Amino acid sequence: MEIGEKVKRLRSERGLTLKQLSEATGLSTGFLSQFERGITTIAVEYLAKIAAVFEIKISYFFEEEPQAEPVMRGYDQPVMRTVNHTIYKQLSRAPQDKALAPKLIEIMPHEKRECPTPYTHKGEEFIYVLEGILTLLLNEQTYTLYPGDACHYLSSQEHNWDNQTNNIVKFIAVHYPNDY
């Protein structure tokens, strides 16, 4: 991985915008954007400023990255995000360079029994229920999916899902293209 790509990955992982990194380093957003894309190079003194922002050693940018183990162990699934009683776990070691984005999604029981608003986006989705009862909203229809049930649909169709029960719902969702 190139140095600019490492900076972009760090910035994304820490939730920083180009503008925020620009303000913290004194480098223009245009320059940082070009650097992250490999269009331009950077002086060591400015790379040191970037390292300081991320509180890492400058040597990080020059180290070879070890090849990621392709197997994702159940105990080693990183939580990508937690939103509205829902936990999203990453099921791929290196999702950024893949076409598919597999996730383990766990929806906790919650008091709000109102179904969420359906939405659309580009691509397609596949879901497979592992545990619990998943409520799937798809094209103004409501489906109840049980363990072992699956659904594959275009993401351009209005859709959303929810847990309308008092138990945890676990399912696998695979998005294409990768939304990582």
Side-chain angles (χ1 to χ4, degrees), residues 23-38:
E23 291 168 354
T25 61
L27 300 168
S28 75
T29 55
F31 173 80
L32 288 169
S33 175
Q34 288 180 350
F35 174 62
E36 286 183 353
R37 291 181 287 146

Side-chain angles (χ1 to χ4, degrees), residues 52-148:
V53 169
F54 294 121
E55 299 177 344
I56 59 171
K57 294 181 181 180
I58 194 170
S59 61
Y60 164 82
F61 297 113
F62 303 103
E63 295 170 355
E64 288 290 322
E65 290 197 28
Q67 286 292 338
E69 172 71 26
V71 175
M72 175 69 74
R73 301 289 178 193
Y75 57 80
D76 199 25
Q77 297 166 353
V79 173
M80 297 169 60
R81 66 182 178 272
T82 304
V83 180
N84 298 332
H85 313 285
T86 305
I87 301 167
Y88 295 81
K89 294 183 178 178
Q90 181 176 306
L91 294 180
S92 177
R93 284 250 177 240
Q96 61 277 9
D97 64 351
K98 305 289 188 298
L100 301 175
K103 300 172 193 76
L104 173 62
I105 300 175
E106 300 175 6
I107 307 177
M108 301 298 125
H110 53 89
E111 306 232 348
K112 186 178 177 189
R113 293 290 183 240
E114 187 177 303
C115 283
T117 305
Y119 64 101
T120 63
H121 55 90
K122 290 168 48 172
E124 60 185 283
E125 296 178 30
F126 171 82
I127 59 176
Y128 180 83
V129 180
L130 299 169
E131 180 181 317
I133 302 170
L134 179 69
T135 299
L136 173 66
L137 305 169
L138 183 62
N139 287 333
E140 299 181 15
Q141 295 274 347
T142 301
Y143 298 93
T144 303
L145 281 69
Y146 298 92

Side-chain angles (χ1 to χ4, degrees), residues 38-51:
I39 296 172
T40 189
T41 59
I42 191 169
V44 174
E45 66 187 85
Y46 297 120
L47 193 57
K49 285 185 178 185
I50 292 172

